Amino acid sequence: MTTPERARPARAPRADALRNRDRLLAEADRLFAAHGTGASLEDIAKQAGVGIGTLYRHFPTREALLDALLQQRFEQLWGRAHEAGSGSPYAALAAWLREAAGQSTAYRGLPSSIAAALRDTTSHLNTSCQAVREVGARLLAAAQAAGEVRTDLDGTDLVLMANSAAWLAQQDHAEDRLDRHLDVLLAGIRTPRRVE
């Protein structure tokens, strides 16, 4: 008697499928870094030595491919939040915001993709973006509870601030101004210190 299709356990991916996926990710990272998030998916598949159908089997949309690439970058942001136990909550939040903005400059056009994914719940990138937002929101809440940061902000504001600084830095190749943009944003969210 054969096992019904639904009852069969899921098979582990074949070794060649895993190699193809790894090659696709490596080429996507290279081409997105060189040409931005609008780089040709056909070129990515060709450079990886596979057909476009193989790319779509692994990554059904451009956002799914971006999401897979950004998982490692986003894990650094999640790690930053877990390391934030020492020091002031504001310092932890500021470090996280700088890291988030830096990650958003990885590929030209990425800030726009992240901003769109925050609004589009059907995007493959939405879940990761929401997870990053929640981590930032926890750091923000701690800084707000300590009275170090304005209370009229939320996690979405933080992600959009990081994205806006990254977007500005990508305009006219002004990446060297990213820290300056972030300094201005961070000064704007800081609670004014009272003079005694």
Side-chain angles (χ1 to χ4, degrees):
M1 183 170 162
T2 61
T3 306
E5 191 66 35
R6 281 177 273 163
R8 289 184 187 155
R11 291 190 316 200
R14 296 184 336 232
D16 62 332
L18 292 174
R19 279 191 305 273
N20 287 343
R21 185 179 192 282
D22 289 344
R23 285 198 312 260
L24 284 164
L25 286 171
E27 289 304 323
D29 181 55
R30 188 177 68 78
L31 290 173
F32 284 167
H35 304 290
T37 58
S40 165
L41 296 181
E42 288 82 6
D43 287 349
I44 291 169
K46 182 178 178 182
Q47 293 299 316
V50 300
I52 191 68
T54 299
L55 183 144
Y56 283 121
R57 265 193 304 283
H58 288 283
F59 309 105
T61 65
R62 182 178 300 273
E63 289 78 19
L65 180 56
L66 267 173
D67 185 51
L69 285 170
L70 294 176
Q71 283 300 312
Q72 290 178 327
R73 295 178 186 281
F74 287 166
E75 284 173 17
Q76 291 174 357
L77 290 174
W78 297 322
R80 173 80 68 191
H82 294 301
E83 295 165 6
S86 61
S88 80
Y90 172 79
L93 177 65
W96 182 88
L97 190 64
R98 288 183 189 284
E99 181 79 23
Q103 297 297 347
S104 293
T105 62
Y107 311 121
R108 186 161 295 284
L110 182 57
S112 297
S113 297
I114 290 173
L118 281 169
R119 292 186 308 271
D120 182 1
T121 57
T122 64
S123 168
H124 282 91
L125 199 50
N126 179 270
T127 301
S128 294
C129 290
Q130 292 299 338
V132 168
R133 185 193 63 74
E134 289 169 18
V135 169
R138 283 198 306 268
L139 291 171
L140 176 64
Q144 288 169 329
E148 296 181 307
V149 173
R150 293 168 38 168
T151 58
D152 60 341
L153 301 171
D154 63 21
T156 300
D157 292 323
L158 286 181
V159 173
L160 292 176
M161 280 185 235
N163 268 350
S164 66
W167 182 85
L168 282 170
Q170 287 184 343
Q171 304 312 301
D172 300 320
H173 303 288
E175 282 85 357
D176 59 330
R177 297 186 60 84
L178 179 61
D179 282 336
R180 178 167 167 66
H181 297 315
L182 290 169
D183 288 343
V184 172
L185 284 171
L186 286 165
I189 69 170
R190 193 85 195 253
T191 303
R193 295 174 189 245
R194 284 186 287 225
V195 178
E196 302 279 327

